[in-house]
Amino acid sequence: MARFPGRSWAPSAAGASGSTTSPRSTGTAGSAGGRPHGRHQQPRAARQGPAKSRSVAGQVFALQVVVVLLLVAAAVVALVVQSRNDARQEATNRSVAVAQTFANSPGMVEALRSPDPTAILQPKAQSVAVNAGVDFVVVLNTDGIRFTHPNPDRIGQKFVGTYQPALQGQVVVEQVVGTIGPLVQAIVPVHAPDGQVVGMVSAGITIANVSSASERQLPVVLGAAAIALGLATCGTALVSRRLRRQTHGLGPAEMTRMYEHHAAVLHAVREGVLIIGGDGMLLLCNDEARRLLDLPADAEGRPVAELGLDRAPEELLTAGRAVTDEVVLAGERLLAVNVRPTDQDGGPPGSVATLRDSTELMALTGRAEVAQRRLRLLYDAGVAVGSTLDVERTAEELAQVTVGRFADYVTIDLAEQVLAGEEPPPGPDLGRMRRAAFAGVRDDSPFYPVGTVLEVVPSTPLAGALHSGLPAVEPRLAEASAWRDQDPERAAQVLAYGVHSLVRVPVKARGVLLGVARFWRSERTDAFEEDDLALAEELVAHAAVCIDNARRYTREHAMAVTLQHSLLPRSLPDQNALDVAHRYLPAQAGVGGDWFDVIPLPGARVALVVGDVVGHGLHAAATMGRLRTAIHNFSTLDLPPDELLGHLDELVNRIDQEESATGGPAAVTGATCLYLIYDPVSRRCTLASAGHPPPALVGPDGHVVYPELPTGPPLGLAVLPFETVELEVAEGSRLVLYTDGLVEDRERDIDEGLELLRAALAGPPRTPEQTCADVLGALLPARPQDDIALLVARTHVLSPDRVAEWEVPSDPAAVGGVRAAVAERLEEWGLEEAAFVTELILSELVTNAIRYGTGPIRVRLLRDRSLICEVSDTSSTSPHLKYAATTDEGGRGLFLVAQFADRWGTRYTATGKVIWTEQPLE
């Protein structure tokens, strides 16, 4: 609320804080509800808004809660520390006692000196550990070698711990962190009858297995805390209820608000208000009455006759009768006076007078036209400014809408971080600013052009406006000198050009300083006035919010693009089956959910994937990352394309259900995917689609075809199984996979786009990189509305001299012949060093196929980037790697295969399964 001149009273500090009473001076003013005599109002800007009070009972309750919580926290910490100390001491006592008891047990020395101490001591040590409640009992020789251990594999190994002092007859206790967690272990010597140390015994127990009485006291402490909080709550409720009864149901906030509203309404009205007592004493007057009657500062509490008023208004105010719209002359003003007595209906004696300045009617009529023009400017600015989410464009719109109507030239300078979409630097120091927009009535002005970097000089009014955040006006620039310190030479040119007045307004949005807007006048002769500041503030405030929205959009768009690129492949994997090139172009309106992938598979095969999540923004990009990760996980199972899409469809359904159950932002429904597997040995391509456009197959002769592909529904909508298609691809062919953003646009349908793609792919053979460039050059829209993913792969064939196959009879005697044939072929390939390991692997795999599988059994060797061994049969039984026990007669074959091979696995075919291994060729 704006302050009116001459105001002489203000709410007391106690009233502002929510108190129902405050000290008052004695006299009629106090009885009539007025203000104390002679009390002066604080500056209006220092008044606070309505107080947000908290009741006394609530404050006491909050204090009680804090005290109780602090006490409970201290008690819990003390109990926890005590519990840990007790547990550590208990673990030390128990481990030392068990170790000494076992070390001094009868027959210990004879067992240590026997030929096989482990056979005698291992069962005893295990029994003692179980009965004594410790985690282990280990017997050592004088060299620290274990004779016993809970894990038999560690018998005979070096003891981990400090045992040397025990050889001198000392008892060693140490706390270590073992494989079972933090524990305390004790090492005691075993003495022979002659006092010689012949061995050692170590006993240990984990600290977590030792409980203390302190831990059992925690529920008591917490229960006491709960009771204390309950009692505090009940006491607070009783106190609050009593306070409500005493204040007639009004809380501190309601009473403070009522008090503030009374003061705000009284001094906000544009009419003078006076309350006069029955004895002619002035009890109260508002700011407007002081202004109209030119009352002194100490007018309240004095008789009206002593205030020095003109005779006519004084007679009306002291007549004691009702007056209605009687016009009198008061100085140079014509006042319309209304007076009403206050003693009606049992009220106190006195009267209330209202004053209205009629001399302002003419001035208001003249100002109405100005206000109308300003309102029109504000309306036009609200429509024109912020039409885009571009920071510079928004600043240009503000400059253009105000030039010629409010100012002759407008310059807008913003922090460089704001133009980049980042957070501006905190505080009033923006560092470097860059000119974001400029507009003027002429083109030959001396102002800095757009793009100029400005360094703010600290001593200038520009720096002061940025520091304070308040607008300022320079009505006569020629008489002001401080603003010239920013650039004296440029300032001289501006003055010589005829610029004579300036308004500067900091650009602030949501409390953050973004830059500064300056309005200059040269053609218009009238200078800027104080009233122009309000209009400039309104214009800049609206533009500041639009600029900040554009900045946030720029930042979020950059974040989404960064997220999307981080979820896409950083580089393509090494493989020999395909030469691959790719392109990814995000939409200009926002990132989407398109993706592509190249995944090497066992058997020198390669999977190509493209997909599209409908929609734009962070959610689409994040969903794309989830689906791409799922495809990578499913591809490790080496599933056919139709089964992989089926699993992916189930995953999407599950994600949709989770989103629906938790009220998530959006479902994944609408994602499409094309999954393709190319085998360079058979030159066969297996593919399946979930609502995705078909791939293009370009033959070596340049002929382009779109394979007949059953296009299933998008992921998440499938009701029937997906179908797989197999194609035989000639060597040197090109497989082109893409998303619909390449072939479909607002200006063309998908059929037209497919024909354009066919024309771009047809012709002489080209590299995949050149193919990508030609396709984008022919089909890329001027302003893409959707993401575009393009994947071009040229096929290679694994030559027959790098492939060897054998059919193996279901006879164990045939294994030797296979091994010999494999060794001969490896010698031909120059891989004699890999012969032994390869023979061992094939021997195990072929033997398992003969024993557990069904014929026919085939063996295939592939020499690619690695040596690949494959053994296939018609059984669907899946082998599993396991650790064989000491007494098992088998179960070590796959373990040996896994140890010698770089990778191994199983894939299922229509006729059975294939077990494969890969070995490096170094």
Side-chain angles (χ1 to χ4, degrees):
M1 176 167 49
R3 181 179 181 274
F4 295 105
R7 181 168 179 180
S8 61
W9 63 267
S12 66
S17 63
S19 176
T20 59
T21 60
S22 60
R24 300 284 185 179
S25 60
T26 59
T28 311
S31 62
R35 297 295 181 258
H37 300 302
R39 190 166 188 178
H40 297 284
Q41 164 67 2
Q42 302 173 5
R44 189 64 176 167
R47 291 197 63 214
Q48 304 295 325
K52 296 183 179 179
S53 304
R54 183 187 298 274
S55 66
V56 177
Q59 296 175 4
V60 173
F61 175 68
L63 178 62
Q64 291 175 339
V65 170
V66 171
V67 171
V68 171
L69 291 179
L70 288 176
L71 293 176
V72 171
V76 170
V77 170
L79 287 176
V80 170
V81 172
Q82 181 64 34
S83 175
R84 290 183 178 177
N85 293 337
D86 293 347
R88 191 178 296 109
Q89 185 62 40
E90 176 64 19
T92 300
N93 296 340
R94 191 182 301 180
S95 59
V96 170
V98 173
Q100 288 182 341
T101 302
F102 194 72
N104 297 321
S105 61
M108 174 59 72
V109 176
E110 290 76 5
L112 289 172
R113 292 177 174 174
S114 65
D116 190 3
T118 299
I120 300 174
L121 297 176
Q122 173 70 3
K124 293 182 178 180
Q126 294 296 92
S127 176
V128 169
V130 173
N131 294 332
V134 296
D135 290 296
F136 63 84
V137 175
V138 178
V139 181
L140 318 172
N141 64 7
T142 56
D143 294 328
I145 303 302
R146 300 185 183 99
F147 286 146
T148 68
H149 195 276
N151 187 355
D153 292 341
R154 299 187 181 180
I155 296 176
Q157 296 181 5
K158 192 76 172 181
F159 178 74
V160 180
T162 304
Y163 62 87
Q164 288 78 6
L167 298 176
Q168 308 300 323
Q170 302 178 17
V171 176
V172 180
V173 179
E174 57 183 353
Q175 183 176 346
V176 299
V177 179
T179 57
I180 58 177
L183 56 87
V184 175
Q185 62 181 14
I187 303 98
V188 302
V190 178
H191 296 280
D194 58 358
Q196 179 183 2
V197 177
V198 296
M200 294 168 286
V201 175
S202 174
I205 182 172
T206 56
I207 297 177
N209 291 337
V210 181
S211 62
S212 66
S214 300
E215 295 178 349
R216 294 188 292 272
Q217 297 176 7
L218 282 176
V220 178
V221 174
L222 297 178
I227 294 174
L229 288 176
L231 293 175
T233 302
C234 294
T236 301
L238 293 175
V239 172
S240 178
R241 184 176 179 183
R242 183 170 182 83
L243 288 176
R244 286 280 185 175
R245 186 182 302 112
Q246 292 177 349
T247 58
H248 303 284
L250 292 178
E254 289 83 355
M255 298 186 68
T256 301
R257 185 163 56 250
M258 182 175 63
Y259 182 87
E260 292 291 336
H261 285 178
H262 163 75
V265 171
L266 181 63
H267 291 271
V269 295
R270 294 295 298 173
E271 290 188 354
V273 178
L274 301 96
I275 300 179
I276 303 170
D279 55 356
M281 194 78 67
L282 179 61
L283 303 179
L284 182 145
C285 63
N286 66 351
D287 293 343
E288 185 67 5
R290 290 178 181 276
R291 184 183 71 85
L292 296 177
L293 297 177
D294 195 18
L295 296 175
D298 59 346
E300 292 179 353
R302 294 173 56 186
V304 174
E306 298 178 3
L307 297 178
L309 302 180
D310 292 338
R311 181 177 179 181
E314 180 181 335
E315 289 179 352
L316 291 178
L317 294 177
T318 58
R321 59 182 176 84
V323 176
T324 301
D325 288 337
E326 188 167 337
V327 178
V328 296
L329 181 63
E332 298 180 355
R333 297 186 179 91
L334 289 176
L335 302 182
V337 181
N338 289 271
V339 180
R340 294 290 184 274
T342 60
D343 55 359
Q344 299 177 0
D345 300 327
S351 60
V352 175
T354 62
L355 310 174
R356 183 171 66 253
D357 190 355
S358 300
T359 56
E360 296 183 354
L361 291 178
M362 294 299 296
L364 290 176
T365 303
R367 282 182 287 188
E369 185 178 353
V370 177
Q372 185 177 7
R373 289 198 300 267
R374 292 184 175 183
L375 287 175
R376 185 64 185 178
L377 177 58
L378 288 174
Y379 173 80
D380 293 343
V383 174
V385 179
S387 61
T388 65
L389 287 174
D390 183 85
V391 175
E392 295 186 7
R393 179 57 186 162
T394 303
E396 292 174 1
E397 292 169 345
L398 172 62
Q400 292 170 359
V401 79
T402 53
V403 163
R405 302 173 64 179
F406 179 68
D408 297 323
Y409 298 93
V410 178
T411 60
I412 301 175
D413 306 314
L414 300 176
E416 289 189 317
Q417 295 88 339
V418 174
L419 294 172
E422 302 174 359
E423 289 285 345
D429 186 9
L430 294 181
R432 292 156 57 93
M433 292 193 299
R434 188 179 297 273
R435 180 138 297 174
F438 169 75
V441 295
R442 292 169 56 183
D443 298 332
D444 58 347
S445 64
F447 295 100
Y448 291 118
V450 174
T452 304
V453 176
L454 305 177
E455 297 283 353
V456 180
V457 177
S459 61
T460 61
L462 175 59
L466 293 175
H467 188 272
S468 65
L470 299 176
V473 61
E474 299 281 359
R476 290 174 291 278
L477 279 177
E479 300 177 5
S481 59
W483 71 278
R484 307 183 191 185
D485 295 341
Q486 179 66 36
D487 188 340
E489 181 179 355
R490 183 73 60 170
Q493 296 176 6
V494 169
L495 291 176
Y497 187 75
V499 177
H500 58 82
S501 188
L502 162 68
V503 167
R504 65 175 67 87
V505 181
V507 181
K508 296 182 65 176
R510 303 177 179 91
V512 179
L513 182 63
L514 306 177
V516 63
R518 285 177 283 185
F519 304 89
W520 314 76
R521 282 184 180 176
S522 64
E523 304 294 328
R524 300 177 58 171
T525 57
D526 56 322
F528 285 114
E529 300 176 351
E530 292 293 335
D531 292 343
D532 294 319
L533 286 179
L535 177 60
E537 280 189 283
E538 289 289 341
L539 293 169
V540 174
H542 172 70
V545 174
C546 297
I547 290 173
D548 191 55
N549 289 339
R551 177 192 65 81
R552 291 168 180 264
Y553 170 78
T554 302
R555 180 187 61 184
E556 293 178 2
H557 180 73
M559 292 173 55
V561 170
T562 302
L563 171 63
Q564 185 182 43
H565 283 287
S566 68
L567 296 175
L568 291 171
R570 301 293 181 88
S571 60
L572 299 182
D574 296 331
Q575 43 82 30
N576 291 336
L578 299 168
D579 290 336
V580 181
H582 63 89
R583 295 288 189 275
Y584 185 85
L585 300 176
Q588 293 187 6
V591 298
D594 293 15
W595 86 93
F596 65 91
D597 231 323
V598 179
I599 306 173
L601 298 177
R605 298 168 303 137
V606 178
L608 301 179
V609 188
V610 291
D612 181 8
V613 177
V614 175
H616 294 85
L618 290 176
H619 179 71
T623 301
M624 173 268 289
R626 298 173 73 177
L627 295 183
R628 179 171 175 256
T629 302
I631 289 179
H632 270 269
N633 293 334
F634 290 144
S635 65
T636 59
L637 303 176
D638 209 348
L639 300 174
D642 55 343
E643 293 186 20
L644 186 142
L645 291 181
H647 286 292
L648 196 63
D649 180 74
E650 293 179 1
L651 173 64
V652 171
N653 279 324
R654 188 160 58 251
I655 294 175
D656 287 346
Q657 293 173 1
E658 293 174 357
E659 292 285 351
S660 300
T662 58
V668 189
T669 303
T672 65
C673 182
L674 176 65
Y675 190 83
L676 179 152
I677 298 177
Y678 173 69
D679 188 346
V681 179
S682 63
R683 295 187 294 108
R684 299 196 67 80
C685 181
T686 307
L687 63 159
S689 172
H692 202 81
L697 175 60
V698 186
D701 57 354
H703 181 63
V704 182
V705 296
Y706 294 106
E708 292 289 340
L709 179 63
T711 303
L715 297 173
L717 300 177
V719 294
L720 295 175
F722 295 95
E723 297 185 40
T724 298
V725 172
E726 288 193 2
L727 307 173
E728 188 169 338
V729 181
E731 184 177 7
S733 299
R734 282 170 291 165
L735 296 168
V736 181
L737 288 73
Y738 52 90
T739 55
D740 58 357
L742 180 67
V743 296
E744 192 174 9
D745 191 49
R746 292 180 179 178
E747 300 179 358
R748 63 169 180 254
D749 59 18
I750 189 169
D751 293 333
E752 181 183 354
L754 291 176
E755 289 304 318
L756 291 175
L757 177 61
R758 184 195 300 272
L761 294 173
R766 286 161 286 178
T767 63
E769 285 289 341
Q770 186 61 43
T771 302
C772 288
D774 293 344
V775 168
L776 292 181
L779 279 80
L780 184 63
R783 187 176 179 85
Q785 301 297 323
D786 195 5
D787 290 10
I788 296 176
L790 176 63
L791 196 63
V792 179
R794 183 171 58 189
T795 62
H796 294 285
V797 175
L798 196 63
S799 59
D801 59 349
R802 290 176 172 265
V803 181
E805 294 186 81
W806 297 274
E807 185 166 344
V808 182
S810 297
D811 184 2
V815 177
V818 174
R819 295 177 61 179
V822 169
E824 181 180 353
R825 179 54 62 92
L826 292 178
E827 185 177 356
E828 294 176 5
W829 287 347
L831 301 176
E832 296 88 349
E833 296 182 359
F836 174 77
V837 174
T838 305
E839 291 179 27
L840 176 62
I841 291 174
L842 285 176
S843 177
E844 294 294 339
L845 296 181
V846 173
T847 302
N848 283 345
I850 293 174
R851 291 185 61 185
Y852 305 110
T854 57
I857 300 172
R858 290 183 176 83
V859 175
R860 185 170 74 163
L861 288 183
L862 304 177
R863 183 186 178 186
D864 192 44
R865 288 181 174 268
S866 60
L867 180 62
I868 302 171
C869 303
E870 296 181 346
V871 176
S872 61
D873 59 58
T874 58
S875 171
S876 60
T877 303
S878 176
H880 295 283
L881 179 66
K882 65 178 182 178
Y883 291 95
T886 307
T887 58
D888 291 345
E889 296 182 359
R892 298 175 179 83
L894 283 180
F895 180 79
L896 293 176
V897 170
Q899 294 297 313
F900 286 106
D902 192 30
R903 296 172 59 221
W904 76 279
T906 304
R907 73 172 180 269
Y908 293 95
T909 64
T911 59
K913 70 175 181 297
V914 176
I915 304 177
W916 55 269
T917 64
E918 291 184 5
Q919 301 165 242
L921 294 180
E922 291 88 359

